Amino acid sequence: MLKALQIEPEKCTGCLQCELACSFQAEGVFNPSKSRIKIFTFHDEGRFVPYTCTQCSEAWCMHACPVEAIVFNDRTGAKEVLADVCVGCKVCTIACPFGTVNYDQDDKVAYKCDLCGGAPECAKACPTGAITYVDADHTGLARMRAHAAKTANVGASA
Amino acid sequence: MAWAKKVMRVNLTTGRIGSEPLNMDWAMQYLGQRGLATKYLTEEIDPKCDALGPDNKLIMTTGPLTGTMASTAGRYSIVTKSPLTGCVACSNSGGFIGAEMKTAGWDMIIFEGKAPKPVFLHLENETAELVPADEIWGTSCWHADEWIHRKYQDPLMRIAVVGRSAEKGCLYAAVVNDLHRAAGRSGVGTVMASKNLKAVAIRGTRGVGNVRDITAFMAAVQKGKKVLADNAVTGQGLPRFGTNVLMNVINEVGAMPTRNMREVQFEGSSRISGEAMHEPRESDGKPNLVTNAGCFGCTIACGRISTIDRGHFTISNKPQYWGASGGLEYEAAWALGSDAGVDDLDALTYANFICNEDGMDPISFGSTVAAAMEMFAMGVITKQHTGGVELKFGSAEALCWAADVTARGEGFGLELGLGSKRLCEKYGHPELSMTVKGQEFPAYDPRGIQGMGLTYATSNRGACHLRSYTVASEVMGVPVKTDPLVTEGKAELVKAFQDATAAVDSTGLCVFTTFAWTMEDIAPQIDAACAGGWTAQKMLETGERIWNLEREFNLAAGISGKDDTLPDRMLKEAAKTGPAKGKVNNLHEMLPKYYEIRGWGRDGIPTNETRKRLGLKSGGLAA
């Protein structure tokens, strides 16, 4: 069963534990500026929104890459950048409609979320459950349940 | 290890910026942040210097854990000599800029001298420059923050900035970072402005590594997070209600300072409490609270993000305040609320926004307004002084007017900016100033919580709850319950809290973790990250060393044991209601014992044996 990251912004407090965990996993140091997942703060609205790659099926980045440096991991569903193949042309960063593929000016290659090989550190680190890793066929299950609970029908208490 | 081992020195007079290695011998003795920066300050300035002159220095400092993944590890402090108290000032803040500075590769930035013209420091990793700030001098923190972000087209830059209150000499001006977090107390913002330094803007992309034993560190961090999540205060109370969960609790205990501390219970407390912030407003059906928010790395997330009712008199014609921003914490809700007798939640939120927008400590501001209100009630301050404003207890309009004029340094606001002590002296009523060593009381009446009397009297930065929060024990039972109305055992309790807090303030962690964490939870995180063998015992010894070094600074600055006292109102006027009815604070029963267990003489000066034991200079700093 494939899993996917499920993000519930209303639970996010903007603490950046996910960015710390991501950068530590990927780079070996605590460095939010290198995180594959980013928290966006909409200060005037009091909203925090985690955002990262959704691992599109027909991934724009993968199709755009001229050297086939972005590959499909059929075990996790992730689109992964092969750093030793990537030539740093940045076409993938242009192709991605969501901006979740970026260029690392230190390493001179593209980088993006690879789901940590199937055990995403961001989800493990999130203290509020704003980021979870769930059945890819049913990322909407929790929201369906919440709305189902509000549905009026004739129950035992009626 | 964990330390970046690099200090930036910025001479504002000459414009020279240099880099030097962190003194690791001192780091082994003083750890980081509060302790280590105090060591640097005592070595580098004359404690008798003019706090607002070029001889004072201002140190922006992180702890070894700042920027790591430990929960709450985003703290930084500003250490300098305070213009409000003449004592050493150390103001701690969260938000994100502390971690950004560490991520850029720096433990500390030491600012010295005074810039000939207004400047701000722009720092990106190894590159730093002083940039003219003429266009933002004379503007608010919020405006300057937006202007700098726009100038560099960099939304990820973190900024600490002073507002107009600091520029106009308000003696309790704060340094505001990330729009609504502040190094709040003792006038550290006033010192920054006195150096013509408007802001520090930082972008760091190097990361924080150098952890001594990363496997042990991640295990200790994980364990610590679980302890915070499982604890009722840090896992439930603080995230849901913020620190303002205390409003109703402290009122019931009878330790809610009200109307310049004339009373110990406030009839309006339930209307300005953490619970009230969740209640839908009658006008628009929305609650005051929009969401809770975490500082860098914090898994507690006690921060409040609030809105004001758009129809409220404070903002109905000011759309710039219609959005959400930093909401009321307990101290602000008390100082702006109970102490001024105001129970209008929207008005308090507005005054709090203004304190953030222009960088004022809401505790000192609210307490000063309360003293002015008492003098207004006595007819000592009149409408002629205020320009026609009825500065009455309970007036939301007067409170919000006072916030506006003090933030901008206009008219009577300049007098309110003097702080309670100087204002009351100026009008001939020094007895009405609820201060110790010139700094205003926080939100716990020492008649109802005896240990807090000793806490305030002996605090190294003037009256303050964050130097030894015995409320935890006396009210909440952390780590053990003690009776708030007795003095026995409080000297020992205060010393233990003072030493432990001084150590925690030197790590990069937030002191709020200590509702759940003991030193046995904290020390393993430090020890895994840092060389030096940081056991719980060594942490407490370090805390005691820091406490005594701060004391030495104050003694050398001319402050003495005679200043370890409370206003007569606390010592002679009994509480009128509640569990503490009929009680005063019995400081005299605690202070001699406190000196004794500190290893100080009866004059409050550390003995040479104590100095030797802690590795401090024989004869004190002046010797």
Side-chain angles (χ1 to χ4, degrees), chain B residues 490-568:
Chain B
K490 295 299 162 64
E492 292 84 351
L493 191 70
V494 166
K495 177 183 180 294
F497 270 86
Q498 285 175 340
D499 293 349
T501 307
V504 173
D505 285 347
S506 303
T507 59
L509 301 172
C510 176
V511 75
F512 288 179
T513 57
T514 59
F515 286 117
W517 286 352
T518 68
M519 208 50 93
E520 299 296 339
D521 297 296
I522 295 170
Q525 300 184 55
I526 311 299
D527 190 49
C530 305
W534 295 94
T535 60
Q537 186 57 35
K538 178 167 173 172
M539 291 291 290
L540 293 174
E541 283 165 17
T542 302
E544 185 177 12
R545 181 177 301 115
I546 294 164
W547 189 266
N548 279 271
L549 183 66
E550 291 174 339
R551 179 75 173 184
E552 297 282 19
F553 180 98
N554 292 348
L555 291 168
I559 288 145
S560 76
K562 291 195 186 76
D563 300 300
D564 295 339
T565 189
L566 299 170
D568 273 359

Side-chain angles (χ1 to χ4, degrees), chain A residues 50-80:
Chain A
Y51 205 80
T52 190
C53 174
T54 57
Q55 316 294 349
C56 312
S57 297
E58 291 294 325
W60 280 271
C61 61
M62 192 164 70
H63 289 303
C65 180
V67 294
E68 296 186 6
I70 298 180
V71 297
F72 175 66
N73 180 330
D74 56 10
R75 192 173 55 80
T76 62
K79 313 301 172 294
E80 298 174 356

Side-chain angles (χ1 to χ4, degrees), chain A residues 10 12-17 20-21 24 29-34 38 43-48 106 124-125 127, chain B residues 67-69 96 103 180 205-208 214 218 225 290-291 293-299 301 305 323-325:
Chain A
E10 65 279 9
C12 178
T13 65
C15 77
L16 308 191
Q17 276 281 336
L20 285 159
F24 179 69
V29 291
F30 304 112
N31 190 356
S33 72
K34 302 286 187 191
K38 303 299 286 181
H43 179 76
D44 291 349
E45 302 166 42
R47 289 198 303 132
F48 306 99
D106 297 323
K124 282 189 237 170
Chain B
T68 71
M69 206 170 149
F96 296 87
T103 305
H180 61 100
T205 62
R206 293 290 180 247
V208 178
I214 191 67
M218 293 305 268
K225 282 197 234 171
V290 178
T291 185
C295 295
F296 180 94
C298 177
T299 58
I305 302 293
S325 194

Side-chain angles (χ1 to χ4, degrees), chain B residues 570-588:
Chain B
M570 298 301 107
L571 300 173
K572 293 176 182 166
E573 292 179 26
K576 294 176 185 134
T577 62
K581 187 176 177 182
K583 295 263 181 195
V584 295
N585 185 273
N586 291 315
L587 180 65
H588 65 281

Side-chain angles (χ1 to χ4, degrees), chain A residues 138-154:
Chain A
H138 284 104
T139 53
L141 205 61
R143 256 169 277 183
M144 277 167 77
R145 171 184 281 277
H147 282 279
K150 291 181 196 164
T151 306
N153 59 3
V154 183

Side-chain angles (χ1 to χ4, degrees), chain B residues 15 170 173 255 330 489 491 519 527 582 587 590 595 616 619:
Chain B
C170 169
Y330 172 54
M519 208 50 93
D527 190 49
L587 180 65
M590 301 180 279
Y595 282 0
L616 300 174

